[in-house]
Amino acid sequence: MHPSRPESGLAGRWTEIDGIEVFYRESQNPPDAPVMMHVHGFGLSGRYLLPTAERLGDDFHTLVPDLPGFGRSQRMANALDVPDLAHAAARFLDDRGVEEVTLVGNSMGCPVITEFAYHHPDRLERAVLVSPAGGLFNQPLSRAIRQLSRDGMREPPRMIGVAAPDYLRFGVPSTLRMFRALTQFPSLDRLLDLSVPTLVVIGDRDPLMPPPSRVHEVAAMTDSHVLLVGIRGAAHAINFSHPGELAHIIRQFMADRPITDDPESPGVSRVVEIHRGPHHPRPSTD
């Protein structure tokens, strides 16, 4: 039940939720630190989220679960869909005694977060959606596969060693079922329903994202709390490829500070604020 060797600075642990064994990683922060949970994408475990999660582990009580059916966690008898995964995330937080949380998701993790917000609006303090995927632009499956293939050429080579075992473990039948569930999920409606301060981070080299004109169109459809930030040079798995820049942006967002480049990565990539909704907290320079 325990990892054979440490894979990160976060402690690997197990728990049981509704009879399902769930693996997760947790920081060693004091229990009164604000809670931040990272939600992985399609077919993957939380392992590729660790570069960013580790950098935030000193500031937040950080949790990185493998949702049921993914990574090391046990599969459920019935196939999961997005609402099931959102429910599993809520039950995991119940198990950890967490009432309120900031959720950080990548790719399919973003629809899971918006569904969590739809059913548990009082539990979500803030949302961070990194490279949100699963909408019409990623359908049908043949198109999504081509997009993922192009993205694979743009990610760091070491991503293969992290992602390949997860995809193999997830398997083709689960991939087909999960993709079918994503096509039935109202991704845009849930995104526009968000009523908490929300950070959306996208990369300009991400083949799974729609063209900039559509991104601006969607951003303009809501007058809510959305802050849209771009990282130039980043593809889809920003949590893995640009952890320093992403962690820096998240810290600024959480503190309502102006969005700036990461001082620890000068000249590596450029961070650009694209859109700030009128109801998003205005940046403080104090």
Side-chain angles (χ1 to χ4, degrees), residues 14-22 74 91 95:
W14 291 87
T15 190
E16 185 175 299
I17 301 171
D18 298 332
I20 301 296
E21 294 173 356
V22 172
Q74 186 180 355
R91 292 288 293 116
D95 179 73

Side-chain angles (χ1 to χ4, degrees), residues 109-142:
C110 299
V112 173
I113 290 174
T114 62
E115 183 70 2
F116 179 97
Y118 182 76
H119 291 284
H120 308 283
D122 57 328
R123 300 188 67 177
L124 185 62
E125 295 183 318
R126 294 192 176 213
V128 179
L129 311 179
V130 184
S131 308
L136 291 176
F137 186 72
N138 307 130
Q139 301 169 19
L141 179 59
S142 58

Side-chain angles (χ1 to χ4, degrees), residues 13-18 22-26 35 37-38 62-68 73 85-98 116 123:
R13 294 181 174 140
W14 291 87
T15 190
E16 185 175 299
I17 301 171
D18 298 332
V22 172
F23 177 75
Y24 68 101
R25 305 150 183 92
E26 184 173 20
V35 181
M37 187 168 88
H38 298 252
T62 302
L63 296 165
V64 188
D66 291 354
L67 294 175
S73 293
L85 292 173
H87 174 71
R91 292 288 293 116
F92 172 78
L93 291 170
D94 291 341
D95 179 73
R96 306 317 308 145
V98 175
F116 179 97
R123 300 188 67 177

Side-chain angles (χ1 to χ4, degrees), residues 94-259:
D94 291 341
D95 179 73
R96 306 317 308 145
V98 175
E99 291 294 329
E100 296 182 337
V101 65
T102 291
L103 294 178
V104 180
N106 172 257
S107 194
M108 184 201 72
C110 299
V112 173
I113 290 174
T114 62
E115 183 70 2
F116 179 97
Y118 182 76
H119 291 284
H120 308 283
D122 57 328
R123 300 188 67 177
L124 185 62
E125 295 183 318
R126 294 192 176 213
V128 179
L129 311 179
V130 184
S131 308
L136 291 176
F137 186 72
N138 307 130
Q139 301 169 19
L141 179 59
S142 58
R143 182 190 222 183
I145 291 174
R146 290 194 299 271
Q147 292 169 337
L148 287 168
S149 298
R150 289 198 298 272
D151 180 66
M153 302 299 293
R154 301 176 184 182
E155 300 292 353
R158 64 186 185 280
M159 179 71 178
I160 297 175
V162 175
D166 285 342
Y167 282 130
L168 290 172
R169 187 182 296 113
F170 193 62
V172 174
S174 295
T175 295
L176 296 175
R177 288 194 296 266
M178 193 70 236
F179 187 82
R180 190 177 303 114
L182 277 172
T183 64
Q184 300 169 356
F185 183 73
S187 296
L188 181 58
D189 292 342
R190 289 290 189 266
L191 175 63
L192 297 178
D193 280 343
L194 284 174
S195 59
V196 297
T198 301
L199 171 65
V200 179
V201 182
I202 60 175
D204 66 347
R205 300 187 69 238
D206 184 356
L208 283 86
M209 289 299 299
S213 59
R214 177 57 176 166
V215 172
H216 285 279
E217 179 184 351
V218 172
M221 291 172 66
T222 173
D223 62 353
S224 63
H225 309 73
V226 173
L227 171 63
L228 175 61
V229 176
I231 300 181
R232 293 183 178 173
H236 192 64
I238 297 175
N239 310 60
F240 185 85
S241 63
H242 291 71
E245 293 89 338
L246 180 57
H248 183 65
I249 293 169
I250 291 173
R251 287 193 196 95
Q252 292 175 317
F253 163 71
M254 296 296 292
D256 294 325
R257 305 282 294 180
I259 302 299

